Amino acid sequence: MPSRMWTLDILLLTLAGLAAKGSCAAAPDFHELVARGIISDSELQSSYDYVIAGGGLAGLVIASRLTEDPQPLHPPAGTYYTSIVGTDYDWKHVTEPQPDLNNRVVGWPRGKILGGSSAMNAMYLVRPAREEMDAWQEIIAPNGDSAAAARWGWDNMFENMKKSENFTAPTQEVLSVVDIKFDASTHGSGGPMQISYPAIQINIQANWTSSLAAAGVAELPNPNGGVTLGGFITPSSINPTNWTRSYSRSAYIDPHIARSNLHILPEATVVRVVLSDDTDRSGNYYAQAVEFARDAESPRQTVGVRREAVLAGGALGSPKILMHSGVGPRDVLEPSSVSVKVELPGVGQHLQDHMTAGVVWETPFETAGNIHDSNSDFARSAEFMSFINDAIAFANISALFNGPGTEFQQEIIAATDDSVQNLVPSTSSEVRAGYRAIYELTANRFFPDVAQLEMLMSVISPGVVSIQSAIQHPYSQGRAYINSSNPFDPIVIDPQYYSHFADLVLMRQGVKLVRQVGIAFGETFGTETSPGPEVQTDEQLDEWLVNSAASTQFHPTGSCAMLPQNLGGVVDANLRVYGLANVRVADSAVFPFEFAAHLASATFGVAEQASELLRQDFYTVPSSGASSGKIPALSLSFSIAIAFGIAVLTALPLI
Ligand SMILES: Cc1cc2nc3c(=O)[nH]c(=O)nc-3n(C[C@H](O)[C@H](O)[C@H](O)COP(=O)(O)OP(=O)(O)OC[C@H]3O[C@@H](n4cnc5c(N)ncnc54)[C@H](O)[C@@H]3O)c2cc1C
Ligand SMILES: *[C@@H]1O[C@H](CO)[C@@H](O)[C@H](O)[C@H]1NC(C)=O
Ligand SMILES: *[C@@H]1O[C@H](CO)[C@@H](O)[C@H](O)[C@H]1NC(C)=O
Ligand SMILES: *[C@@H]1O[C@H](CO)[C@@H](O)[C@H](O)[C@H]1NC(C)=O
Ligand SMILES: *[C@@H]1O[C@H](CO)[C@@H](O)[C@H](O)[C@H]1NC(C)=O
Ligand SMILES: *[C@@H]1O[C@H](CO)[C@@H](O)[C@H](O)[C@H]1NC(C)=O
């Protein structure tokens, strides 16, 4: 068994969110984490074989998978009632003012904590559809010529996603309130992430699938198995043994207290990857070190990379690190006074997000919010506090347009050239070609039968129920970019929301469909309070969406897209950054286009696949290392660094 032949140490360098402001008292988890291999600066080794930037969802999966061989956010409902969104554990990003949202700015929370956004997310466990993942495989290998590309198609990604899971069916008590349909075979068993349902259900949810069906959206009896269309109660990342949040830290790190090869260094922001002066024989630069610092004022430190650097900073963190390393669009780097090492115009481009807006009704029925407000013993129980919104549905074009939507599709197709010309925030012909490829895929292959809209019911506010309308395949793309050489300045985020007309039309149709579902709920829903009965015409609905209602569903992606280089790609089918011999991106930045799904499950799939690739390649000497002699061939040690977090993983000698 080759995996027994080596061992591996990990060091995670994490950001301020972990031990807030350097005070252990402010971070109740600090001592616990010390026991898990958290180290101080002085214990840092001078170099590691692998350096991973980002100890979030994906980063911890990789860290854990690579070390397993040798061997407040906890109550789910805390997501609503004691959310860490907006606290020191949140990056608190905001977009640029959005011209097509009446110049509104939109907050983009992201977890600044061990576990990343999986420590603050809403725990919906939802997979993309088979067609979407198969389209990913095709777009990265347009001629069907790559075995590597097959890793990203549905069949393989389904296995990767399931590998992270341990599914537990809903309790009989829950089923007696809501007849939840599920198929255990669409989930994994024995994996680290606990996937289950809350301990309790709210009565209103019993009418979810029947109301949807009355509005033309049938019930989906076996969600998460490759088909997404229809209504269902989706599982959440809940640990049913103690009704707590299951996230990348609790699942992949905490159980491994005794792993002597896991080191975590808190309060470290990765500022850049230090690249070699010269290239290897294939013309690729290679990472020599990862530079990090406690804050803008503190001295920079470096940790050597003996084999690979893995960026797992998420859809904003990873492109930012690349750009500060001199890898990115020339017209972004030069004005920021960052010298261009590898001109890669796609870094930060192809930025896509899901937008959502909620219709709200008063309800005479009890919601979770009413129970919470009652402050009863039950309201404080772990069972009640495990309740998290989970009633969702995915609808196709026919459901939105009461027909095949052919006319709408023709309008979109007719606008292709104009959109490529005017809506892409890049002068690069590659990036424009990539936009066109994604556009054509969305307008043809994803029309009419791939899900276009997600509906989500919320029953967590007292006295009201809401149903969100969220577009899933936007035609608007934007970018994230740096505008200074200081890595502690925030990344500039411009998703160009609603820059393409189709997105607003899809959302408006979505709101109409949501209202049909509301009508089907009958007397369970009282008066509509937002946008309110007076908002009826298309113009009124658009005004409401643009001026106030439309916001983010928290699913940015595309900023380090896995696309061919001539389509403005950043990584190849092995997750390797073009132009770099030993740097990969492995997180939610790599999806080339949005899926009709929340992104955590697919990101777990990416991270599991990345772990597999890194392990496989451990046994083959990187060509760059072999030819340049600058990266030592595999010898007696193996190590990794991740930054949050950074984790630095270092290897112990073979014998
Ligand atoms: C409020 C919210 C609700 C959501 N709800 C859901 C949901 O219900 N279901 C679902 O499937 N998805 C949901 N998501 C999305 C999902 O959580 C993310 O897609 C997923 O966590 C992305 O994983 P990641 O590893 O790419 O990034 P992250 O999990 O964000 O991890 C990135 C990590 O890298 C760190 N980092 C970044 N830059 C640096 C740097 N320079 N140096 C060191 N460390 C760095 C960050 O601090 C973070 O720890 C939600 C997201 C949010 C924000
Ligand atoms: C998976 O969940 C079951 C409960 O359904 C539990 O008994 C088992 O210990 C879990 N396995 C893992 C690996 O977490
Ligand atoms: C809501 O669901 C309950 C239980 O399934 C059912 O008895 C009731 O008729 C439903 N109400 C409506 C309006 O569909
Ligand atoms: C599209 O949605 C409609 C209405 O929800 C449904 O009848 C139809 O079967 C769906 N199409 C596909 C291919 O699932
Ligand atoms: C919940 O139980 C798991 C084991 O199943 C454990 O690892 C975790 O720490 C527990 N969470 C809390 C907050 O107690
Ligand atoms: C970078 O962009 C942000 C957001 O628009 C702006 O506030 C800031 O002043 C810009 N910085 C520089 C150096 O131009």
Side-chain angles (χ1 to χ4, degrees):
M1 190 53 199
S3 61
R4 295 285 157 213
M5 291 170 60
W6 51 276
T7 60
L8 166 65
D9 288 348
I10 299 188
L11 166 64
L12 271 138
L13 310 172
T14 77
L15 284 175
L18 177 61
K21 307 196 176 74
S23 143
C24 294
D29 289 346
F30 186 78
H31 295 291
E32 198 187 329
L33 282 167
V34 169
R36 267 138 221 196
I38 295 208
I39 63 156
S40 65
D41 286 12
S42 61
E43 295 167 274
L44 190 67
Q45 293 184 188
S46 63
S47 75
Y48 295 84
D49 288 322
Y50 290 78
V51 180
I52 302 175
L57 188 161
L60 296 194
V61 174
I62 296 165
S64 176
R65 284 301 186 191
L66 287 169
T67 52
E68 70 191 356
D69 298 83
Q71 238 326 281
L73 29 122
H74 299 298
T79 301
Y80 316 123
Y81 308 120
T82 55
S83 171
I84 60 170
V85 170
T87 69
D88 284 352
Y89 300 106
D90 179 0
W91 284 83
K92 291 181 268 197
H93 297 288
V94 288
T95 67
E96 291 294 278
Q98 295 293 287
D100 296 303
L101 286 185
N102 197 11
N103 284 325
R104 283 192 290 132
V105 302
V106 177
W108 276 26
R110 294 274 103 188
K112 194 179 196 178
I113 188 170
L114 207 55
S117 302
S118 78
M120 67 157 54
N121 72 20
M123 304 166 61
Y124 289 100
L125 194 284
V126 187
R127 294 193 220 296
R130 171 183 288 276
E131 292 93 325
E132 294 171 312
M133 289 206 143
D134 285 349
W136 179 12
Q137 173 179 343
E138 277 174 37
I139 207 167
I140 182 61
N143 306 316
D145 57 358
S146 164
R151 297 186 187 113
W152 311 107
W154 170 261
D155 289 338
N156 193 55
M157 280 298 280
F158 188 33
E159 295 310 312
N160 287 334
M161 290 185 283
K162 286 195 290 189
K163 192 173 177 184
S164 70
E165 297 176 356
N166 185 46
F167 178 76
T168 305
T171 62
Q172 283 309 316
E173 198 183 337
V174 159
L175 290 171
S176 73
V177 180
V178 179
D179 182 21
I180 296 174
K181 299 289 199 310
F182 63 92
D183 174 354
S185 76
T186 68
H187 292 284
S189 180
M193 280 291 290
Q194 304 301 328
I195 305 302
S196 192
Y197 301 82
I200 64 143
Q201 271 294 329
I202 303 296
N203 286 324
I204 295 169
Q205 303 218 130
N207 297 87
W208 176 240
T209 53
S210 57
S211 303
L212 284 164
V217 178
E219 179 167 23
L220 176 63
N222 54 349
N224 294 323
V227 175
T228 53
L229 287 173
F232 51 101
I233 303 288
T234 205
S236 301
S237 39
I238 287 178
N239 184 338
T241 64
N242 53 9
W243 304 119
T244 54
R245 171 188 293 267
S246 189
Y247 65 115
S248 64
R249 178 186 148 190
S250 65
Y252 282 86
I253 299 298
D254 289 356
H256 307 299
I257 296 169
R259 264 184 198 169
S260 59
N261 56 1
L262 173 59
H263 289 175
I264 299 178
L265 179 68
E267 306 207 13
T269 297
V270 173
V271 299
R272 66 180 183 126
V273 178
V274 181
L275 297 171
S276 56
D277 290 333
D278 46 4
T279 66
D280 66 10
R281 279 183 208 144
S282 325
N284 295 318
Y285 293 94
Y286 44 90
Q288 294 179 314
V290 166
E291 194 173 282
F292 63 95
R294 178 175 288 258
D295 51 43
E297 286 72 41
S298 301
R300 302 279 172 87
Q301 291 176 265
T302 58
V303 56
V305 175
R306 290 201 294 267
R307 297 185 63 88
E308 295 203 41
V310 181
L311 305 187
L316 298 170
S318 289
K320 187 178 181 194
I321 294 168
L322 278 178
M323 288 186 267
H324 282 293
S325 310
V327 180
R330 184 173 293 278
D331 61 2
V332 167
L333 303 194
E334 281 178 350
S336 306
S337 309
V338 173
S339 56
V340 179
K341 193 86 183 189
V342 177
E343 187 172 357
L344 202 54
V347 176
Q349 288 282 344
H350 300 303
L351 183 67
Q352 295 151 69
D353 190 23
H354 291 153
M355 293 198 88
T356 185
V359 178
V360 184
W361 294 265
E362 284 173 344
T363 177
F365 288 79
E366 185 176 59
T367 67
N370 292 114
I371 299 171
H372 182 256
D373 278 8
S374 76
N375 214 15
S376 62
D377 287 348
F378 177 62
R380 287 190 293 267
S381 68
E383 285 75 13
F384 171 73
M385 286 299 286
S386 75
F387 181 77
I388 187 128
N389 288 323
D390 51 12
I392 61 172
F394 289 92
N396 64 17
I397 282 289
S398 334
L400 286 176
F401 286 89
N402 247 326
T406 316
E407 205 178 302
F408 179 56
Q409 181 181 24
Q410 290 313 319
E411 273 177 62
I412 293 171
I413 291 171
T416 308
D417 289 346
D418 188 56
S419 303
V420 173
Q421 187 119 39
N422 297 311
L423 301 183
V424 184
S426 167
T427 53
S428 149
S429 57
E430 290 94 348
V431 171
R432 284 160 181 255
Y435 177 87
R436 180 185 290 276
I438 295 165
Y439 191 105
E440 288 176 346
L441 178 79
T442 311
N444 294 295
R445 176 129 174 218
F446 291 170
F447 230 93
D449 289 330
V450 166
Q452 297 289 343
L453 187 88
E454 182 180 6
M455 290 179 278
L456 309 89
M457 181 162 70
S458 171
V459 293
I460 55 99
S461 296
V464 297
V465 180
S466 75
I467 301 178
Q468 308 239 334
S469 155
I471 50 162
Q472 300 296 295
H473 286 291
Y475 292 86
S476 304
Q477 293 189 14
R479 63 172 179 147
Y481 57 99
I482 59 171
N483 66 352
S484 87
S485 61
N486 180 359
F488 289 89
D489 284 347
I491 189 165
V492 187
I493 305 168
D494 184 6
Q496 300 202 136
Y497 284 135
Y498 285 161
S499 53
H500 193 283
F501 70 89
D503 294 355
L504 183 56
V505 176
L506 286 162
M507 256 177 99
R508 181 212 298 153
Q509 293 303 114
V511 171
K512 293 177 190 172
L513 180 60
V514 155
R515 280 178 157 169
Q516 292 305 308
V517 179
I519 288 167
F521 262 97
E523 62 193 22
T524 309
F525 288 13
T527 312
E528 183 186 304
T529 58
S530 180
E534 67 286 357
V535 175
Q536 289 300 338
T537 65
D538 286 356
E539 291 70 27
Q540 289 170 329
L541 284 168
D542 290 355
E543 207 184 358
W544 171 68
L545 287 167
V546 166
N547 291 343
S548 63
S551 189
T552 175
Q553 206 187 358
F554 314 117
H555 299 160
T557 191
S559 52
C560 295
M562 184 190 294
L563 285 169
Q565 217 175 337
N566 63 7
L567 297 184
V570 175
V571 299
D572 66 15
N574 293 313
L575 297 169
R576 282 220 169 85
V577 177
Y578 294 114
L580 303 180
N582 62 339
V583 178
R584 302 196 215 217
V585 178
D587 59 28
S588 61
V590 305
F591 306 125
F593 45 80
E594 283 286 4
F595 302 123
H598 302 244
L599 296 184
S601 178
T603 307
F604 278 109
V606 166
E608 288 285 6
Q609 181 63 67
S611 310
E612 206 49 51
L613 287 170
L614 287 160
R615 282 170 143 172
Q616 280 165 17
D617 289 357
F618 180 73
Y619 298 103
T620 59
V621 179
S623 58
S624 57
S627 56
S628 69
K630 297 256 170 82
I631 299 175
L634 169 59
S635 54
L636 289 179
S637 68
F638 177 46
S639 54
I640 295 185
I642 291 188
F644 144 34
I646 297 179
V648 180
L649 320 166
T650 100
L652 301 172
L654 276 178
I655 32 170

